[in-house]
Amino acid sequence: MQKLLVFSDLHIQDSTIIGLDPIARFTDAFAHALANHPDAQGIVLMGDLTHSGTASEYEMLKPMLADTRMPVTYMMGNHDRREAFVQVFPQATLDNAGFIQTGFDIGDWCVLTLDTLDGPPYHDRHHSGRLCSDRLGWLADMLEQAKDRPITIFTHHPFGDIGFSKLDEIKLENGMDVLGILRSHPMPVHILSGHVHRTISGQWDGVSYTVFKSTCHQNPLNLNEKHTYKFVDEPGGYSVVLFDGPNLIIHTEDFFGA
Ligand SMILES: [Fe+2]
Ligand SMILES: [Fe+2]
């Protein structure tokens, strides 16, 4: 059995968010995960690595990851900025067009991590995601190469609605187009997403998905049409994804210190 440790929505900055310290929260999550899962094959950071996408915030994140020898796969969220990230993490894997997305095999599975950050150009307070034609082409190529292997897609932005009206306004804008591409793959596909700051699972247009909570601040369960961005102090979480032959097993862990 192969294992990945997944962290989403770190929102690293040097001040608190609703009274919570994102650096302390991620430090606790990372320590808890490494102490309990030293046998993991790798780590995926699912975007919103920082709160404002500045080089100084990526500099704060860098030493927090220095003590692990596991390979780390980085992803972009709407709060990130690609150029500042690459300046601090030049070793991150880029595709041929310079987007921060990659693919790798683990067990019987093929993992693809998408870069759904819309831009450049970037627009202030624009938080929905988009896969441009270059990135859609990359996805089609990777699906072709995966052939008869099952696929796990990591995407910061959800492809479809999750029932929180404000978050549904800022999902992946062309998510339905991407789902159409995924459904053409002959083998099982499962989508793992962040962005929402709450643990959710379901199915979009015939494709199953799981959404992970943040390591820091969480979104309360509010399904009425007046949903707002009012975050709450609930335990932070991370995920342990197991690849067991043809089976995919997804655990979530709410941590309370290492
Ligand atoms: Fe976030
Ligand atoms: Fe986000």
Side-chain angles (χ1 to χ4, degrees):
M1 190 179 305
Q2 312 282 303
K3 179 188 287 186
L4 288 180
L5 303 176
V6 182
F7 304 84
S8 190
D9 293 274
L10 288 55
H11 287 262
I12 297 297
Q13 65 172 13
D14 62 359
S15 56
T16 60
I17 301 171
I18 63 159
L20 303 172
D21 177 354
I23 294 175
R25 281 289 189 117
F26 177 66
T27 301
D28 283 353
F30 204 59
H32 189 286
L34 293 187
N36 288 284
H37 305 282
D39 57 333
Q41 277 70 45
I43 292 162
V44 180
L45 304 182
M46 288 194 72
D48 285 357
L49 307 177
T50 63
H51 196 63
S52 301
T54 62
S56 62
E57 289 177 346
Y58 293 114
E59 293 284 5
M60 293 175 210
L61 172 63
K62 195 169 189 178
M64 290 185 252
L65 305 167
D67 286 343
T68 179
R69 273 179 269 166
M70 291 180 201
V72 179
T73 301
Y74 303 89
M75 294 171 58
M76 294 286 93
N78 46 299
H79 284 265
D80 292 303
R81 289 296 177 263
R82 212 171 281 113
E83 295 74 11
F85 168 77
V86 171
Q87 184 184 325
V88 178
F89 291 89
Q91 77 278 19
T93 308
L94 312 184
D95 69 9
N96 289 337
F99 294 103
I100 300 161
Q101 48 184 15
T102 191
F104 56 90
D105 293 338
I106 182 164
D108 294 350
W109 288 72
C110 175
V111 167
L112 303 180
T113 62
L114 303 181
D115 179 346
T116 58
L117 172 59
D118 190 9
Y122 307 111
H123 302 285
D124 282 350
R125 291 185 286 281
H126 172 73
H127 291 294
S128 54
R130 172 161 284 277
L131 286 177
C132 60
S133 56
D134 281 340
R135 284 173 274 180
L136 288 174
W138 178 89
L139 174 60
D141 288 347
M142 297 301 278
L143 290 172
E144 176 71 25
Q145 289 176 33
K147 291 193 170 66
D148 58 352
R149 279 172 293 155
I151 302 235
T152 308
I153 301 273
F154 286 73
T155 169
H156 180 77
H157 290 84
F159 291 171
D161 289 346
I162 46 82
F164 295 170
S165 55
K166 282 291 176 196
L167 269 295
D168 289 341
E169 289 173 7
I170 57 168
K171 62 182 183 285
L172 191 76
E173 289 177 358
N174 53 343
M176 287 302 120
D177 297 340
V178 182
L179 285 167
I181 295 171
L182 295 180
R183 283 206 318 276
S184 69
H185 187 68
M187 295 294 286
V189 174
H190 189 79
I191 300 166
L192 300 175
S193 178
H195 192 49
V196 179
H197 295 229
R198 190 167 188 89
T199 309
I200 304 167
S201 61
Q203 197 178 84
W204 291 309
D205 211 10
V207 183
S208 61
Y209 69 85
T210 305
V211 180
F212 296 138
K213 65 176 4 184
S214 165
T215 53
C216 188
H217 47 303
Q218 314 305 336
N219 215 322
L221 181 59
N222 177 0
L223 297 173
N224 71 46
E225 61 187 24
K226 293 189 176 141
H227 174 266
T228 65
Y229 292 119
K230 195 172 189 304
F231 290 101
V232 293
D233 176 7
E234 292 178 358
Y238 66 90
S239 176
V240 180
V241 180
L242 304 174
F243 300 85
D244 183 16
N247 301 318
L248 184 69
I249 305 165
I250 301 167
H251 290 284
T252 55
E253 176 79 289
D254 289 357
F255 57 88
F256 297 91

